[in-house]
Amino acid sequence: MSDFGFYFKMGWEHIISKDALDHQLFILALACVYTIGDIKRVLILVTAFTIGHSLTLALSVYDIIRFPGKWTEFLIPCTIFITALNNIFRVDSKDKSERINYYLALCFGLIHGMGFANAIRIMLAKDQRIGWGLFGFNTGLEAGQIFCVALILITSILFLNVFKIKRRDWVFFLSSGVFALSVKMALERLPW
């Protein structure tokens, strides 16, 4: 059980720590288009991200795939600005074709999983119970994401209901900020 706790904490910190801005921005871009009434859909969305993230981690830990770190670090902010740009272009969309959000979360989760794969591969390779460590890490990751989503949705209640900001303006403001920050990150991480 202590292994589970160790890896749970690692997964939690992977999302919550001050060094996890890229993951936090991605979650913000995914969740900012939703309101508290959409909680079930948002939880499914972050779980899709966790599934993608977990799959890549597992494949990496078992040494089935490897991807150059400099490319992964560049692609992570690219996934963020694509998600934010999708929000900006669809801000006035009346049809809630959410399927694209689920696909983005799942596919981009694969890329984000590669970002931590090298570090955790070394730790888990020394451990006899790789599956238990992966389960603990992914559970901590999911808990951290749910915590971030809760903060985002509570903040949106404040701005939408108390300060009477229009939902369209709220989504546009957050997505634009996330877009700008992630483009800056991508330019700082150019792999060539």
Side-chain angles (χ1 to χ4, degrees), residues 27-68:
I27 293 167
L28 179 59
L30 283 176
C32 75
V33 297
Y34 297 97
T35 62
I36 196 74
D38 301 316
I39 188 74
K40 184 177 178 183
R41 290 185 280 195
V42 181
L43 293 178
I44 292 169
L45 189 68
V46 296
T47 299
F49 175 78
T50 301
I51 290 168
H53 197 280
S54 303
L55 181 61
T56 309
L57 269 177
L59 292 173
S60 176
V61 166
Y62 287 110
D63 215 12
I64 295 170
I65 61 166
R66 288 209 182 188
F67 200 74

Side-chain angles (χ1 to χ4, degrees), residues 151-169:
L151 289 178
I152 293 165
L153 294 180
I154 290 167
T155 304
S156 74
I157 289 172
L158 179 68
F159 281 90
L160 298 176
N161 297 338
V162 176
F163 296 123
K164 303 297 184 196
I165 304 292
K166 292 181 184 172
R167 185 177 170 277
R168 178 197 185 283
D169 296 340

Side-chain angles (χ1 to χ4, degrees), residues 12-182:
W12 170 267
E13 290 173 352
H14 185 61
I15 295 296
I16 300 299
S17 77
K18 63 181 172 126
D19 297 326
L21 181 62
D22 50 1
H23 288 297
Q24 293 162 2
L25 287 174
F26 186 69
I27 293 167
L28 179 59
L30 283 176
C32 75
V33 297
Y34 297 97
T35 62
I36 196 74
D38 301 316
I39 188 74
K40 184 177 178 183
R41 290 185 280 195
V42 181
L43 293 178
I44 292 169
L45 189 68
V46 296
T47 299
F49 175 78
T50 301
I51 290 168
H53 197 280
S54 303
L55 181 61
T56 309
L57 269 177
L59 292 173
S60 176
V61 166
Y62 287 110
D63 215 12
I64 295 170
I65 61 166
R66 288 209 182 188
F67 200 74
K70 64 182 181 177
W71 277 98
T72 302
E73 291 305 311
F74 169 70
L75 288 174
I76 287 173
C78 291
T79 67
I80 301 166
F81 73 68
I82 290 169
T83 305
L85 199 57
N86 178 57
N87 292 347
I88 292 167
F89 284 131
R90 292 183 44 223
V91 75
D92 287 322
S93 177
K94 297 296 178 204
D95 70 345
K96 289 195 173 184
S97 55
E98 296 173 20
R99 283 191 181 148
I100 193 164
N101 289 347
Y102 295 121
Y103 293 130
L104 289 175
L106 180 64
C107 294
F108 290 168
L110 294 169
I111 294 169
H112 283 246
M114 289 303 298
F116 198 62
N118 289 333
I120 201 166
R121 180 187 324 111
I122 294 165
M123 279 191 254
L124 286 172
K126 296 175 184 175
D127 195 344
Q128 298 293 327
R129 295 174 294 262
I130 292 175
W132 192 241
L134 278 173
F135 179 69
F137 180 84
N138 291 320
T139 304
L141 180 79
E142 185 76 356
Q145 290 179 153
I146 291 169
F147 178 76
C148 288
V149 165
L151 289 178
I152 293 165
L153 294 180
I154 290 167
T155 304
S156 74
I157 289 172
L158 179 68
F159 281 90
L160 298 176
N161 297 338
V162 176
F163 296 123
K164 303 297 184 196
I165 304 292
K166 292 181 184 172
R167 185 177 170 277
R168 178 197 185 283
D169 296 340
W170 175 249
V171 171
F172 188 80
F173 173 76
L174 290 178
S175 298
S176 298
V178 168
F179 177 80
L181 287 169
S182 57

